[in-house]
Amino acid sequence: MEGMSLPGPLELGSLTVDTPVVLAPMAGVTNAAFRRLCAEQGAGLYVCEMITSRGLVEGDQHTKDMLVFDEAETVRSVQLYGTDPVYVGKATEILCADYGVAHVDLNFGCPVPKVTRKGGGGALPYKRGLLGEILEHAVRAAEPYDVPVTMKTRKGIDDDHLTYMDAGRIAQESGAAAIALHGRTVAQAYSGTADWDAIAELKASVDIPVLGNGDIWEAADAIRMVEETGVDGVVIGRGCLGRPWLFRDLAAAFAGDSVKVLPTLGEVTDIMRRHAELLCDHMGEERGCKEIRKHIAWYLKGFGAGGELRRTLGLVNSLADLDKMLDQLDRNEPFPSSQLGAPRGRQGAPRDKVVLPEGWLDDADGRGCGFAENVAETSGG
């Protein structure tokens, strides 16, 4: 597919995403502050942290607290987790009617054991009938509001139980507006490399837009994925941790401009400070400063900041303290090229065995099994 032209805006039903780039929901990361920070860098679609359909339907306070949007967030996008078609349908309706959401994504890719143990996330597409029921309930609930429903999945449970080709067919038949594929199995979690050939195979088999996910660390990787697979857009997860300017590079690359200026430590510091400020605006200073701590480690990865300064930054509890510490950094230090193209965030090891409900693999249909989901599942995939 070499030399093929870059995709234009991503069309999800009636929603047009100018740059075909989607920020993947990540638990504890893609809150309103981080979404705004990424959106300030480049156009795209920025998805809220995953929430549970049961939590939303039952009015769980923690779930409601996660559904916070920034005033600059014009297109609200939420990822929903669920294993029961009725709950997922009701939750979709609540998102459309009460929260003004413009896009609902369904999570069928999460590899976390506490989720797969209940038949959720990346385990669910094995039950083809149940997958179809959940998608149909969500699409039907969103239809009166003209809100597109998409799904995100993985290749399958493991190499012996691949589900992505069936999932694509079912997504299309159910009226989903697009399907995103992370080119790993649940067993791989975040280890190894993503299988872009599987993404290309899925793209060739369906008529709805296909988004590719996995191992996009730089804008050039996104362009290479498009050229190798023909996808309609890309989903960015761990690649943007501590690097929200990746969305600026992606917007430029999809506009056909390959100019890429690596930020100095001073520019990284300014973005980090902006991130902290947005977190404090949304959460209050004490909690906002606690939240920025994990991001500081990602922002400074590969830079020469000393151990003692890193340690005190990891304990920061006010913006004034943060400013004092950031002033000690060398603003002219160049970006560490060792970090380019390198995996970020968790990788972990592949799993010998995926935790599944008893007898899960005995029935590949699963219609009417309506597994009870936990109110508090939160993750990504």
Side-chain angles (χ1 to χ4, degrees):
M1 296 195 189
E2 291 300 325
M4 66 177 298
S5 62
L6 292 174
L10 179 61
E11 305 289 348
L12 301 176
S14 61
L15 177 62
T16 299
V17 182
D18 292 335
T19 301
V21 172
V22 179
L23 167 67
M26 290 178 279
V29 174
T30 60
N31 51 36
F34 188 72
R35 297 196 305 274
R36 168 143 186 193
L37 190 70
C38 293
E40 286 175 352
Q41 296 291 320
L45 189 62
Y46 302 93
V47 188
C48 175
E49 294 171 87
M50 183 181 97
I51 61 161
T52 73
S53 49
R54 184 170 160 206
L56 185 57
V57 172
E58 295 186 359
D60 171 61
Q61 194 54 50
H62 175 66
T63 304
K64 288 174 160 175
D65 291 345
M66 287 166 74
L67 278 172
V68 171
F69 299 93
D70 189 273
E71 70 264 15
E73 208 161 358
T74 48
V75 177
R76 297 179 171 192
S77 170
V78 175
Q79 190 182 65
L80 204 50
Y81 161 84
T83 49
D84 182 304
V86 175
Y87 270 119
V88 173
K90 283 181 179 167
T92 301
E93 182 166 11
I94 292 169
L95 287 175
C96 296
D98 299 350
Y99 288 92
V101 165
H103 165 241
V104 175
D105 184 50
L106 299 181
N107 181 309
F108 300 114
C110 182
V112 176
K114 69 174 184 180
V115 170
T116 60
R117 180 180 284 115
K118 307 245 175 53
L124 197 137
Y126 185 76
K127 304 280 192 199
R128 276 72 165 177
L130 178 60
L131 176 67
E133 279 188 327
I134 293 174
L135 283 164
E136 283 158 20
H137 274 71
V139 168
R140 203 177 309 138
E143 218 159 17
Y145 303 92
D146 201 18
V147 169
V149 172
T150 59
M151 71 172 278
K152 181 164 181 220
T153 190
R154 285 179 170 241
K155 284 172 60 183
I157 291 171
D158 53 34
D159 287 335
D160 295 324
H161 302 92
L162 298 176
T163 52
Y164 66 101
M165 293 297 282
D166 281 346
R169 173 181 55 76
I170 293 163
Q172 183 163 309
E173 287 169 359
S174 305
I179 179 170
L181 177 62
H182 183 158
R184 287 180 169 87
T185 60
V186 174
Q188 277 181 280
Y190 296 94
S191 68
T193 52
D195 177 3
W196 290 7
D197 290 342
I199 297 171
E201 190 186 1
L202 178 64
K203 169 61 191 164
S205 76
V206 294
D207 299 324
I208 57 174
V210 172
L211 305 176
N213 178 221
D215 296 354
I216 297 177
W217 311 113
E218 310 295 335
D221 297 329
I223 300 305
R224 191 165 56 82
M225 180 188 273
V226 168
E227 287 174 343
E228 290 181 14
T229 66
V231 284
D232 303 278
V234 295
V235 178
I236 306 295
R238 295 169 300 148
C240 69
L241 296 176
R243 298 175 60 205
W245 61 85
L246 178 57
F247 291 99
R248 177 198 66 196
D249 294 347
L250 286 160
F254 277 106
D257 178 5
S258 59
V259 178
K260 181 178 182 186
V261 183
L262 289 175
T264 60
L265 182 51
E267 290 167 298
V268 171
T269 300
D270 292 342
I271 290 177
M272 203 189 317
R273 177 63 173 75
R274 172 74 178 142
H275 191 171
E277 185 187 314
L278 286 166
L279 282 167
C280 292
D281 285 351
H282 276 283
M283 303 176 169
E285 190 163 11
E286 188 185 356
R287 190 165 154 227
C289 285
K290 277 189 179 145
E291 275 293 316
I292 195 67
R293 293 172 185 172
K294 64 186 167 207
H295 293 277
I296 288 171
W298 289 322
Y299 278 116
L300 294 180
K301 203 172 175 204
F303 280 109
E308 184 53 35
L309 181 56
R310 280 176 194 260
R311 198 184 67 75
T312 50
L313 275 166
L315 299 169
V316 68
N317 54 22
S318 75
L319 285 175
D321 273 1
L322 180 64
D323 287 337
K324 273 191 214 133
M325 292 181 227
L326 294 181
D327 281 347
Q328 297 174 50
L329 295 169
D330 173 8
R331 289 187 63 84
N332 296 316
E333 186 183 338
F335 192 85
S337 55
S338 63
Q339 293 304 310
L340 293 176
R344 304 179 73 75
R346 56 196 170 168
Q347 280 171 277
R351 306 196 173 115
D352 294 333
K353 192 166 183 289
V354 176
V355 191
L356 298 167
E358 187 73 34
W360 187 252
L361 299 175
D362 299 345
D363 163 32
D365 183 68
R367 253 178 281 245
C369 66
F371 273 69
E373 66 203 47
N374 189 327
V375 170
E377 310 294 11
T378 52
S379 187

